Amino acid sequence: MSIITLLTDFGTDDEYVGLMKGVILSINPSATIVDLTHQIDSQDIVQAAFTIHSGYHYFPEGTVHLIVVDPGVGTERGLLALKLKNHFFIAPDNGVLTLLLNEKEISSLVLISNSSFFRAAVSRTFHGRDILAPVGAHVANGLDINELGPDIDVQNVVCLENLGARRIKNGEIRGQIVAIDHFGNLITNIDSELLTGSLHAGPEKKIQIKIRSNTINGLSETYGGVRSNTPLALIGSRGYLEIAINEGNAAQFLKAKKKDPVRVLV
Amino acid sequence: MSIITLLTDFGTDDEYVGLMKGVILSINPSATIVDLTHQIDSQDIVQAAFTIHSGYHYFPEGTVHLIVVDPGVGTERGLLALKLKNHFFIAPDNGVLTLLLNEKEISSLVLISNSSFFRAAVSRTFHGRDILAPVGAHVANGLDINELGPDIDVQNVVCLENLGARRIKNGEIRGQIVAIDHFGNLITNIDSELLTGSLHAGPEKKIQIKIRSNTINGLSETYGGVRSNTPLALIGSRGYLEIAINEGNAAQFLKAKKKDPVRVLV
Amino acid sequence: MSIITLLTDFGTDDEYVGLMKGVILSINPSATIVDLTHQIDSQDIVQAAFTIHSGYHYFPEGTVHLIVVDPGVGTERGLLALKLKNHFFIAPDNGVLTLLLNEKEISSLVLISNSSFFRAAVSRTFHGRDILAPVGAHVANGLDINELGPDIDVQNVVCLENLGARRIKNGEIRGQIVAIDHFGNLITNIDSELLTGSLHAGPEKKIQIKIRSNTINGLSETYGGVRSNTPLALIGSRGYLEIAINEGNAAQFLKAKKKDPVRVLV
């Protein structure tokens, strides 16, 4: 039994994801392959970084996570294999692993170079199929990731700056929207720890959340915590501050988009 | 070998369905998980009720069906586990099981309360991941659903009224559109039994189907049974009256939408 | 261990694909089912023909491929089972297998007629669920496809004309767009063999690609091979000439659509 998750920006209109699965099953016929999502916005490394970081621990230890959000495919960018808390991550060296690398419990971090685990013919445009899928299948088969290439120091891989929200002097938190989900909920990069640690805030606390020209007072516990069609803020299931509309679509209602700033005031 | 189906309104843009699968596989690593569909219209309990009822019996006995169309998540609504014809259903107590409960061959019906089968931390907004997925995984592992909580009488669970179509005095049938599929076909709540029982109708019979300002004469046997771009009615693969356009999109052509009334006249 | 792929134009809005999986698992509970894609444009047999032909060989030998792009469902069109290079294909006799049949390494080609491998009740409108799924599950279980019906000569099945691109007298190649992917890349029917065989072209060679009113000079090796927002041509991961925009959407930028002609000049 081995589990491989796929996180890509390929969408599901095409056969690309299906071909990756074919390659995996050719090497590891008993793999259980799970689509984490293929709807990362095209080339959005930040969104992918939050998605894998907040999601991987729902899978059992030993799971292999393939992340194929890879604007630099075919260029000289490297490919990484990471072992962390007994999970495995195979991804381009483009910052998509930043939040995981910040966890500082790295067992191994390797620059993938051993082409004996690649497909025989590697296209210039589809490393997901020709490198990441076969490498992931071998790792799920038990291959030690140190067989994939030399160790690389975390200082030498690409990390994204300012991914997280930050607290400024007066206690205010400044973050931004990093994802908008199917329901139109706005997911921020303000995690519950920063929020509660900084403000000792609870549902009862009089904090204010500012987004565009709107002010939301206090945190709700559920989407149903306010009147219909009223904006609310809550700690979402990801563990991050989320802005929603009871029975509505917050992205449409607030005309909000990714990267819009979100501020939390004491 | 155990099979778990997922029926939700989550869409596939986000990682939510993937996380449910991670939770299931953490408990039941050999489960085969099938997406029935995640494109139930947001919070449309009626559409979900017809989908699970017309679909479950295509799966083998012993299958566990998780239904997460749950507008009331985080409120006091209950969660149910149902055993029926050797299939298992885990769902909110919001009426989504109505058509199944009408089958009156219930082996067990239980109000889920035993939190030892939930995830340790249960969010207020994502019971699909934190309760239904782990409970379903345990049931697929062989857990007796009576371990999940006390029996509940079918009289005491939420059932939807007037889900089905009905025959009125002159033999006319009054129903409505309950789903519109990818091809634009309009799926009604008028089942073939009601249609044939009431009208002794066949393809040769001169029944009329009224939808919006259109009248369709007689039933076709296939989508190709009329000229191109002509509306037709047939018993669809679900076993319900369906309105379609040969080589076209009936929803667009007829400007039809869900809940539009459909009448069948002798 | 047996693998079954699904290639359809059903989309994923509805439960149709899920029901096919239920039928397969009822017969072959240990099957691994892979969605190749369900987003073939409605009834586009040409797009499906290229997708299965360029994709099947990424799966291990013994895989069973179900192709349900079937405008003629319910009419007298036949259903075929093909064994080729130790892969199995189950599909309507409508030309979708044309490119595979051109490979001329056919082990068996059979007209499916033995209804003992169908579901007991066969609807007129959903043979994917009622015939192809159960037949495919039995083949994945090891059933000899000759049990499905009589041999049929390749001369007697429907084949599509002019699927491929062609070279005309002056060395010019004339092809067309057969698919547009999620990224807006335009995939042609001009394969790399025709291109290189005809033109001895390489990245360095001064060929010209004409699409609509645009001329692209030379082939790139990667999507990043030109300035941002500039059209480029390359041999895509399918092995066919592809037209793309670096960091952009070629379909939108060039206002291109399927069936648009593409010419390659020496």
Side-chain angles (χ1 to χ4, degrees):
Chain A
M1 191 279 304
S2 53
I3 297 170
I4 297 175
T5 78
L6 305 181
L7 176 65
T8 79
D9 61 354
F10 291 172
T12 53
D13 288 356
D14 309 300
E15 74 276 22
Y16 302 143
V17 170
L19 299 183
M20 288 181 62
K21 294 179 182 176
V23 170
I24 289 169
L25 293 169
S26 297
I27 293 165
N28 187 335
S30 65
T32 295
I33 307 173
V34 177
D35 303 300
L36 191 47
T37 177
H38 301 291
Q39 304 290 358
I40 295 293
D41 292 323
S42 189
Q43 310 196 342
D44 190 340
I45 296 167
V46 172
Q47 187 189 1
F50 278 98
T51 303
I52 190 63
H53 179 252
S54 62
Y56 81 91
H57 54 90
Y58 291 97
F59 289 82
E61 291 192 9
T63 297
V64 178
H65 305 275
L66 305 188
I67 304 149
V68 197
V69 179
D70 189 11
V73 63
T75 67
E76 292 302 307
R77 68 92 185 83
L79 290 167
L80 300 173
L82 167 67
K83 183 176 181 185
L84 176 102
K85 294 182 177 171
N86 216 18
H87 284 255
F88 300 91
F89 304 87
I90 315 286
D93 179 15
N94 61 13
V96 75
L97 300 179
T98 301
L99 290 162
L100 294 164
L101 294 170
N102 288 347
E103 291 207 354
K104 300 193 189 306
E105 298 186 45
I106 299 172
S107 306
S108 304
L109 179 63
V110 160
L111 186 66
I112 296 172
S113 60
N114 186 343
S115 63
S116 63
F117 300 109
F118 303 174
R119 276 181 59 83
V122 172
S123 72
R124 293 289 300 266
T125 55
F126 196 0
H127 288 184
R129 180 191 68 195
D130 299 334
I131 302 181
L132 289 95
V135 162
H138 284 294
V139 173
N141 265 342
L143 180 74
D144 186 330
I145 67 169
N146 289 298
E147 300 289 320
L148 295 172
D151 280 354
I152 183 168
D153 192 277
V154 68
Q155 304 303 327
N156 294 327
V157 306
V158 176
C159 280
L160 302 174
E161 299 294 322
N162 302 320
L163 264 192
R166 64 205 170 83
R167 196 187 325 161
I168 61 172
K169 274 184 189 154
N170 61 358
E172 177 182 333
I173 298 174
R174 293 195 176 170
Q176 61 173 320
I177 299 171
V178 292
I180 299 176
D181 78 7
H182 170 71
F183 299 101
N185 298 328
L186 310 174
I187 303 171
T188 75
N189 63 345
I190 301 171
D191 69 25
S192 59
E193 213 171 314
L194 182 64
L195 200 60
T196 53
S198 160
L199 300 175
H200 308 290
E204 64 291 352
K205 190 81 173 63
K206 288 288 169 280
I207 66 168
Q208 291 190 313
I209 293 94
K210 300 268 191 186
I211 172 157
R212 298 181 62 90
S213 59
N214 298 271
T215 300
I216 299 168
N217 290 300
L219 291 180
S220 297
E221 292 210 332
T222 71
Y223 295 118
V226 297
R227 293 193 314 278
S228 290
N229 291 308
T230 304
L232 61 93
L234 46 64
I235 304 295
S237 63
R238 266 194 188 182
Y240 286 84
L241 184 72
E242 201 173 303
I243 294 158
I245 301 277
N246 186 16
E247 299 178 21
N249 182 306
Q252 287 171 14
F253 188 91
L254 300 172
K255 295 188 176 51
K257 52 191 190 316
K258 281 199 306 183
K259 297 194 182 164
D260 279 352
V262 175
R263 293 189 301 145
V264 181
L265 310 181
V266 185
Chain B
M1 190 280 303
S2 53
I3 297 169
I4 297 176
T5 78
L6 304 180
L7 177 65
T8 79
D9 61 354
F10 292 171
T12 54
D13 288 355
D14 309 300
E15 74 275 21
Y16 302 143
V17 169
L19 299 183
M20 288 182 61
K21 293 179 181 176
V23 170
I24 290 169
L25 293 169
S26 297
I27 292 165
N28 188 334
S30 65
T32 295
I33 306 172
V34 178
D35 302 300
L36 192 46
T37 177
H38 301 291
Q39 305 289 357
I40 294 293
D41 292 323
S42 189
Q43 310 196 341
D44 189 339
I45 295 167
V46 171
Q47 187 190 0
F50 278 98
T51 303
I52 190 61
H53 180 252
S54 62
Y56 80 91
H57 55 89
Y58 291 96
F59 289 82
E61 291 192 9
T63 297
V64 177
H65 305 275
L66 305 188
I67 304 149
V68 196
V69 179
D70 189 12
V73 63
T75 67
E76 292 302 307
R77 67 92 186 83
L79 289 167
L80 300 173
L82 167 67
K83 184 176 181 186
L84 176 103
K85 294 182 176 170
N86 215 18
H87 284 255
F88 301 91
F89 303 87
I90 315 287
D93 180 17
N94 61 14
V96 75
L97 300 179
T98 301
L99 290 161
L100 294 164
L101 294 170
N102 288 348
E103 291 206 354
K104 300 190 190 308
E105 298 186 45
I106 299 172
S107 305
S108 303
L109 180 62
V110 160
L111 186 66
I112 296 172
S113 59
N114 187 342
S115 63
S116 64
F117 300 108
F118 302 174
R119 275 180 60 82
V122 172
S123 72
R124 293 289 300 265
T125 55
F126 196 0
H127 288 183
R129 181 192 66 195
D130 299 333
I131 302 182
L132 288 95
V135 162
H138 285 293
V139 173
N141 265 342
L143 179 75
D144 186 330
I145 66 170
N146 289 298
E147 299 290 322
L148 294 172
D151 281 354
I152 183 169
D153 193 278
V154 68
Q155 304 303 326
N156 294 328
V157 306
V158 176
C159 280
L160 302 174
E161 299 293 322
N162 302 320
L163 263 192
R166 64 205 171 83
R167 197 186 324 162
I168 60 173
K169 273 185 188 153
N170 61 357
E172 177 182 332
I173 299 174
R174 293 195 175 168
Q176 61 173 319
I177 298 171
V178 292
I180 298 177
D181 78 8
H182 170 72
F183 299 100
N185 298 328
L186 310 173
I187 303 171
T188 75
N189 65 345
I190 302 171
D191 69 25
S192 58
E193 213 172 314
L194 182 65
L195 200 60
T196 53
S198 160
L199 300 175
H200 309 289
E204 64 291 350
K205 191 80 172 65
K206 288 287 170 280
I207 66 167
Q208 290 190 315
I209 294 94
K210 299 267 191 188
I211 171 156
R212 298 182 61 91
S213 59
N214 298 270
T215 300
I216 299 167
N217 290 300
L219 291 179
S220 296
E221 292 210 331
T222 72
Y223 295 118
V226 298
R227 292 193 314 277
S228 290
N229 291 308
T230 305
L232 61 92
L234 47 62
I235 303 296
S237 63
R238 266 194 188 182
Y240 285 84
L241 184 72
E242 201 173 302
I243 293 159
I245 301 276
N246 185 17
E247 299 176 21
N249 182 306
Q252 287 172 12
F253 187 91
L254 300 172
K255 295 186 175 55
K257 51 190 191 315
K258 282 198 304 182
K259 296 195 183 164
D260 278 351
V262 175
R263 293 188 302 146
V264 181
L265 310 181
V266 186
Chain C
M1 192 279 304
S2 53
I3 297 171
I4 297 175
T5 78
L6 305 181
L7 177 65
T8 79
D9 61 354
F10 292 172
T12 53
D13 289 355
D14 309 300
E15 75 276 22
Y16 302 143
V17 170
L19 299 184
M20 288 181 62
K21 294 179 181 176
V23 169
I24 289 169
L25 293 169
S26 297
I27 292 165
N28 188 335
S30 65
T32 295
I33 307 172
V34 177
D35 303 300
L36 192 46
T37 177
H38 301 292
Q39 304 290 358
I40 295 292
D41 293 323
S42 189
Q43 309 196 343
D44 190 339
I45 295 167
V46 171
Q47 187 189 0
F50 278 98
T51 303
I52 190 62
H53 180 252
S54 62
Y56 80 92
H57 53 89
Y58 292 97
F59 289 83
E61 291 192 9
T63 297
V64 178
H65 305 276
L66 304 188
I67 304 151
V68 197
V69 179
D70 189 11
V73 62
T75 67
E76 292 302 307
R77 67 92 186 83
L79 290 166
L80 300 174
L82 167 67
K83 183 176 180 185
L84 176 103
K85 295 181 177 171
N86 216 19
H87 284 256
F88 300 91
F89 303 87
I90 315 287
D93 180 15
N94 61 14
V96 75
L97 300 179
T98 301
L99 291 162
L100 295 164
L101 294 170
N102 288 348
E103 291 205 355
K104 298 190 190 311
E105 298 184 46
I106 299 172
S107 306
S108 303
L109 180 62
V110 160
L111 186 67
I112 297 172
S113 60
N114 187 343
S115 63
S116 63
F117 299 108
F118 303 174
R119 276 180 59 82
V122 172
S123 72
R124 292 289 300 265
T125 55
F126 195 0
H127 288 183
R129 180 191 68 194
D130 299 334
I131 301 181
L132 288 96
V135 162
H138 285 293
V139 173
N141 265 342
L143 180 75
D144 186 329
I145 65 169
N146 289 298
E147 300 290 320
L148 294 171
D151 281 353
I152 182 168
D153 192 278
V154 68
Q155 304 303 326
N156 294 327
V157 306
V158 176
C159 280
L160 302 174
E161 300 294 322
N162 303 320
L163 263 192
R166 65 206 170 83
R167 197 185 325 161
I168 61 172
K169 274 185 189 153
N170 60 358
E172 176 182 334
I173 299 174
R174 294 195 175 169
Q176 61 173 319
I177 298 171
V178 293
I180 297 177
D181 78 7
H182 170 71
F183 299 100
N185 298 327
L186 311 174
I187 304 170
T188 74
N189 64 345
I190 301 171
D191 69 26
S192 58
E193 213 173 315
L194 182 64
L195 199 59
T196 52
S198 161
L199 300 175
H200 308 289
E204 65 291 351
K205 190 82 171 66
K206 289 287 171 280
I207 66 168
Q208 291 190 313
I209 294 93
K210 300 267 190 188
I211 171 156
R212 298 183 61 90
S213 59
N214 299 270
T215 300
I216 298 167
N217 289 301
L219 291 181
S220 297
E221 292 210 332
T222 71
Y223 295 119
V226 297
R227 292 194 313 278
S228 290
N229 290 308
T230 305
L232 62 93
L234 47 64
I235 304 295
S237 64
R238 264 193 188 184
Y240 285 84
L241 184 71
E242 203 174 301
I243 294 158
I245 301 275
N246 185 16
E247 299 177 21
N249 182 306
Q252 288 171 12
F253 188 91
L254 300 172
K255 296 188 174 54
K257 52 189 191 314
K258 282 198 306 182
K259 296 194 182 164
D260 278 351
V262 176
R263 292 188 302 145
V264 181
L265 309 181
V266 186

